[in-house]
């Protein structure tokens, strides 16, 4: 198995380029984070935003994946939480025209400090001790990308 990529590296999967810009813990009680998420994590849990850019660099329409997992070194896996369609930072897979990206150019998410769309994960506090945490991006068949998250 190959080594996971570091955040900030753009990699191709199924003709679509994925780039994990930043991963960070979110606290809806503070001003910058209340725009990303409004509900607090339950006791003994934390919320983490994984901010990504997904681009179709090809000359034909493509649909990026919506299959993401965080896996810890104990092989526990966690799926992203569903986010409302009206959350301007939320990642929602959709068909992309040639040279189009998620987040859309000029959008709040693209112009914001993270420059990416958010995948929201709720993780047990003890999971952060089981590092490295890796984001798996699943494509068609056996194709996948793996990023080591910087948390």
């Amino acid at each position: 198995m190959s080594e996971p990529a570091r955040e900030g590296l753009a990699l191709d999967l199924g003709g679509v380029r994925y780039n994990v810009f930043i991963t960070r813990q979110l606290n809806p009680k503070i001003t910058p984070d209340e725009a990303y998420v409004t509900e607090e994590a339950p006791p003994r849990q934390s919320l983490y935003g994984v901010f990504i850019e997904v681009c179709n660099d090809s000359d034909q329409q493509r649909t990026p994946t919506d299959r993401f997992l965080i896996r810890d070194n104990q092989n526990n896996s966690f799926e992203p939480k569903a986010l409302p369609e009206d959350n301007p930072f939320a990642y929602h897979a959709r068909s992309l025209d040639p040279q189009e990206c998620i987040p859309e150019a000029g959008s709040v998410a693209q112009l914001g400090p993270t420059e990416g769309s958010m995948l929201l994960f709720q993780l047990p506090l003890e999971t952060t001790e089981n590092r490295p945490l890796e984001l798996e991006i699943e494509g068609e068949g056996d194709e996948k990308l793996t990023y080591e998250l910087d948390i």
Side-chain angles (χ1 to χ4, degrees):
M1 180 172 168
S2 63
E3 289 291 313
R6 304 291 294 174
E7 289 182 7
L9 293 176
L11 300 174
D12 185 82
L13 179 67
V16 177
R17 177 174 40 91
Y18 294 82
N19 193 344
V20 176
F21 285 141
I22 188 171
T23 302
R24 69 181 196 79
Q25 188 172 4
L26 299 174
N27 179 353
K29 289 184 177 180
I30 61 174
T31 302
D33 292 356
E34 68 188 1
Y36 299 127
V37 63
T38 56
E39 293 183 26
E40 292 183 52
R44 305 191 48 72
Q45 304 274 317
S46 293
L47 296 174
Y48 283 88
V50 177
F51 294 88
I52 64 171
E53 178 186 66
V54 178
C55 294
N56 177 6
D57 292 334
S58 76
D59 58 0
Q60 44 189 291
Q61 199 170 59
R62 300 217 188 263
T63 301
T65 189
D66 62 355
R67 296 186 311 251
F68 300 90
L69 288 175
I70 286 182
R71 193 174 304 278
D72 68 12
N73 70 6
Q74 303 298 304
N75 210 32
N76 298 307
S77 61
F78 307 91
E79 294 184 359
K81 293 177 62 71
L83 291 167
E85 286 290 331
D86 65 350
N87 180 326
F89 297 97
Y91 173 86
H92 295 289
R94 61 180 172 79
S95 182
L96 296 175
D97 289 329
Q99 309 309 312
E100 187 178 18
C101 294
I102 299 172
E104 187 176 329
S107 68
V108 171
Q110 190 266 329
L111 295 173
T114 61
E115 299 179 17
S117 288
M118 179 181 67
L119 297 166
L120 180 66
F121 290 88
Q122 182 177 305
L123 304 175
L125 290 177
E126 61 270 12
T127 296
T128 59
E129 299 300 318
N130 297 335
R131 288 180 269 189
L133 300 182
E134 296 178 346
L135 177 72
E136 291 183 2
I137 304 172
E138 299 176 13
E140 297 297 319
D142 291 345
E143 282 190 311
K144 74 176 179 178
L145 296 175
T146 304
Y147 283 89
E148 184 175 327
L149 300 178
D150 189 18
I151 62 169

